[in-house]
Amino acid sequence: MLLAFALSPLLVVAIGALLLMLAEAFSKVRTGLALGTVVVFFAGLALSASVWLYGLESIPGLEVLAPWLIIDRFSMFMNAVLCLGGGLAALLAGGYLPEHKIERGEFYSLLLFATLGAMMLSASGDFLTLFIGLETMSIGAYAMTAFRRTSARSAEGALKYFLLGSFAAAIMLYGFALLYGATGHTDLAGVGAGVKSGEHAPMVLIAMVLVLAGLVFKVSAVPFHMWTPDAYEGAPTPATTFMAVAVKSGAFAMLLRVMLTCFGDARSMSWSSGWPPVLAWIAVLTMTVANLIAGRQESVKRMLAYSSIAHAGYLLVGVVATMKNPAQGSASVLFYLLTYTVSTAGAFGALILCGRFGAEAVSYEDLAGIGRRHPAAALPFSLFLISLAGFPPTAGFFGKWFVFRAAMEGGFTWLTIIAFLNSVLGAYYYLRVLVFMYMREPAAGAPIATPMRSGYVNFALILSAFLVVVLGVSPSLSLDVAVKAAAAFGGGAG
Amino acid sequence: MITTNSYVLLSAILFTIGGIGFLVRRNVIVTLMSIEVMLNAVNLALVAFNRSMPKAHTGQLFAFFLIAAEAAEVAVGLAIVISIFRLRRSVRTDEADLLKN
């Protein structure tokens, strides 16, 4: 019974997805699906919190699930972040899909199943469950990207995402197969022990490169980022939110678990012969390239896509910091994921709010003058952009602060300086939105944007604005939670 | 004499062929087939490695799961290809160029 309680966040999302799918298929009523989805997500969030408070130490029999599912504080934290991200995306979908006349019930089941995949991904301790979770998440995301059937842009974004996503999955799977051949295990801990023993070193090295390439693709870091802007721009905005928030969080959870468990031995984690320098250079490239290209965009949605690539770069800095101190580095990544989730979901939500049917707000020009005409829509947008840029007193500031501090204390001063310079560079294009909203007027003859009205979107914005401010004013509680969650990796090589 | 190594070598060759096919060909259907070749190379490697570790059937089991998941993935992929063909009357990846900066 207690075991079911420990699994309840996963179970409630899985059962909720099945029930909503049946309800959509057999009932004539179309309203309430969005509400049901939101309720399921927030039930998952509440259950993760209660399992956390109950204490996983006092639940016997969790080792029965290992290595398939590892239910620890790390996966419980990720469950909460993913349910929050999924819940915000569901709220946005509840407003966006009816407004743009594309509401069909499948979207909500896809959203729930994809989140379930991401939750499974962050809890899996075996390549098999990891792969199933990854596919569940990705297939749902592909389908959601292609959701607007009449739009060639939506289909094209989905096609690029699907082709490159399957290619990356195949590369990663070949890495898994080689690791299985080299160590005889498919569970992460067993592979880690085999890698540590140093047998079959050349094969392990090739496998590490393949797995790393697949993982870096999934977190959409440069040079494997080409699909991201296209998929994000083509997808309906709630699906974009989901990809930017939940898919990225799930991928980072997978990255941390695989790298620290399979390749957590002293040799693989050293600067001279391991993965940290590779990830450090990828982080530098990701931040710089994404920030430079983001500044040249004319579409705000595409700018936010490049911004999410840049944030993957900052997160990779935190992953590199695990080299010296696994617990501190992963804690900073987890906390950053939380702040990034609320800021990004809020920014996409505000973008949704600024448009309506037939006149979706996409470009900077669409937003011109909206700050004076509709301050209630522009104000939360400004807050989320300031948080993404990393100014105090918002969540984004502390997210960056803890990642940079982990990198500094790990001895990566040069990397921290590059990351800091990049976040200054990033402020340019976030503030450019504010300039357009408050200091420009729409060009003569251009259509004047009016915000849509939706209780769902308003609620999503209020919720994420509340969290952005709370995390920005008193981050200590949630940071404490992130530190406890990351303690699972405290026993790394160091 | 066919050893485990021969199978692994064959799977590496298949994987490379699939990878090159994916990068070079411009027809979506051929690209999908290239991905299938890569995934089947993974299956072959898993089953071949399992031959030298006969105590458990982990590799073979993994291959079964992979086949099932591949089928689901291709179903979604072909649906996307059909929807893009309806809208654009083309299945060539180099003609999918609506989204650019």
Side-chain angles (χ1 to χ4, degrees):
Chain A
M1 208 49 225
L2 273 175
L3 206 58
F5 176 56
L7 281 174
S8 58
L10 286 155
L11 290 176
V12 78
V13 174
I15 294 168
L18 292 171
L19 286 181
L20 279 168
M21 199 160 73
L22 289 175
E24 198 271 331
F26 289 110
S27 113
K28 297 268 183 294
V29 190
R30 282 290 171 274
T31 53
L33 282 176
L35 188 66
T37 316
V38 173
V39 168
V40 169
F41 274 124
F42 284 102
L45 181 62
L47 283 169
S48 327
S50 41
V51 174
W52 177 286
L53 291 174
Y54 185 83
L56 288 156
E57 303 75 28
S58 41
I59 298 178
L62 281 179
E63 60 280 357
V64 178
L65 300 167
W68 311 112
L69 287 177
I70 300 179
I71 306 294
D72 52 8
R73 288 200 180 269
F74 176 79
S75 54
M76 231 17 102
F77 183 88
M78 285 314 299
N79 283 346
V81 170
L82 292 167
C83 280
L84 179 66
L88 289 172
L91 281 169
L92 297 180
Y96 180 92
L97 299 183
E99 174 74 25
H100 293 272
K101 310 271 189 287
I102 47 171
E103 186 169 46
R104 294 194 306 280
E106 307 92 278
F107 192 88
Y108 300 107
S109 330
L110 285 171
L111 192 61
L112 281 163
F113 278 124
T115 314
L116 178 69
M119 288 162 81
M120 207 173 135
L121 191 60
S122 59
S124 56
D126 191 285
F127 287 150
L128 188 56
T129 39
L130 194 129
F131 166 67
I132 302 291
L134 184 68
E135 286 298 296
T136 313
M137 179 180 86
S138 308
I139 290 175
Y142 302 146
M144 280 192 284
T145 310
F147 200 70
R148 204 194 295 260
R149 272 187 307 197
T150 49
S151 155
R153 302 169 82 84
S154 182
E156 187 184 314
L159 182 72
K160 288 177 178 171
Y161 186 23
F162 169 76
L163 286 178
L164 292 170
S166 323
F167 183 62
I171 289 178
M172 195 157 72
L173 279 169
Y174 203 71
F176 290 167
L178 289 184
L179 282 175
Y180 169 64
T183 63
H185 286 275
T186 56
D187 60 303
L188 301 184
V191 170
V195 170
K196 197 173 182 179
S197 73
E199 285 173 47
H200 304 287
M203 202 151 99
V204 167
L205 194 66
I206 296 172
M208 186 163 93
V209 171
L210 294 174
V211 170
L212 204 55
L215 290 170
V216 165
F217 172 90
K218 285 291 169 194
V219 304
S220 70
V222 178
F224 304 101
H225 68 292
M226 307 308 286
W227 59 277
T228 317
D230 291 348
Y232 281 26
E233 193 187 351
T237 315
T240 312
T241 315
F242 178 78
M243 284 192 279
V245 165
V247 172
K248 190 156 290 197
S249 306
F252 264 101
M254 163 171 79
L255 179 73
L256 277 178
R257 224 194 253 283
V258 169
M259 292 326 273
L260 293 179
T261 319
C262 290
F263 305 108
D265 59 304
R267 200 162 51 87
S268 305
M269 277 186 91
S270 68
W271 190 260
S272 51
S273 62
W275 51 266
V278 181
L279 276 190
W281 283 111
I282 289 178
V284 169
L285 263 180
T286 305
M287 292 183 291
T288 317
V289 171
N291 277 324
L292 287 176
I293 301 180
R296 294 194 294 125
Q297 298 305 314
E298 284 311 311
S299 152
V300 177
K301 200 172 172 185
R302 211 172 164 87
M303 179 277 277
L304 285 173
Y306 277 106
S307 131
S308 97
I309 302 175
H311 283 278
Y314 304 130
L315 279 158
L316 283 174
V317 172
V319 177
V320 173
T322 58
M323 183 182 122
K324 287 282 155 54
N325 187 342
Q328 193 194 9
S330 19
S332 74
V333 171
L334 289 180
F335 185 74
Y336 198 103
L337 282 177
L338 182 62
T339 63
Y340 167 79
T341 296
V342 289
S343 327
T344 305
F348 278 115
L351 190 63
I352 287 176
L353 189 71
C354 288
R356 58 171 43 208
F357 180 60
E360 204 176 340
V362 179
S363 67
Y364 284 93
E365 295 293 338
D366 290 340
L367 295 172
I370 208 156
R372 222 161 304 154
R373 280 179 284 120
H374 302 283
L379 198 68
F381 207 164
S382 320
L383 178 71
F384 299 126
L385 290 170
I386 286 172
S387 176
L388 283 173
F391 292 121
T394 53
F397 170 73
F398 281 107
K400 284 213 174 67
W401 170 265
F402 290 121
V403 164
F404 291 177
R405 203 180 65 178
M408 278 298 271
E409 286 177 9
F412 300 102
T413 316
W414 63 276
L415 193 58
T416 319
I417 292 171
I418 293 176
F420 177 74
L421 290 177
N422 260 298
S423 60
V424 175
L425 192 64
Y428 161 72
Y429 53 84
Y430 294 124
L431 295 182
R432 196 165 154 229
V433 179
L434 297 194
V435 168
F436 268 87
M437 283 199 303
Y438 287 101
M439 296 173 195
R440 296 277 175 89
E441 286 300 327
I448 293 173
T450 40
M452 62 181 284
R453 286 176 198 287
S454 156
Y456 285 116
V457 176
N458 289 347
F459 181 62
L461 289 185
I462 291 168
L463 181 65
S464 31
F466 172 74
L467 288 172
V468 163
V469 173
V470 166
L471 288 172
V473 174
S474 66
S476 48
L477 174 68
S478 36
L479 183 72
D480 200 39
V481 170
V483 167
K484 277 194 188 132
F489 300 123
Chain B
M1 176 65 189
I2 297 176
T3 62
T4 304
N5 280 342
S6 326
Y7 287 112
V8 176
L9 191 67
L10 175 64
S11 93
I13 293 169
L14 278 175
F15 187 78
T16 318
I17 291 174
I20 293 172
F22 177 86
L23 296 171
V24 172
R25 298 300 295 267
R26 289 285 165 265
N27 186 315
V28 178
I29 305 295
V30 180
T31 318
L32 272 175
M33 281 161 63
S34 306
I35 293 173
E36 285 301 292
V37 172
M38 290 171 80
L39 288 168
N40 281 316
V42 174
N43 277 340
L44 183 61
L46 283 168
V47 175
F49 282 130
N50 205 159
R51 210 172 86 133
S52 57
M53 305 164 204
K55 267 180 288 181
H57 298 294
T58 324
Q60 297 180 12
L61 209 74
F62 206 125
F64 275 120
F65 274 90
L66 237 160
I67 291 166
E70 265 170 46
E73 193 171 318
V74 169
V76 173
L78 285 176
I80 294 172
V81 173
I82 289 171
S83 101
I84 204 165
F85 179 72
R86 276 203 189 129
L87 295 164
R88 301 291 306 271
R89 292 282 144 199
S90 155
V91 289
R92 290 182 62 82
T93 45
D94 49 355
E95 286 168 15
D97 52 3
L98 284 176
L99 297 161
K100 272 185 190 164
N101 23 314

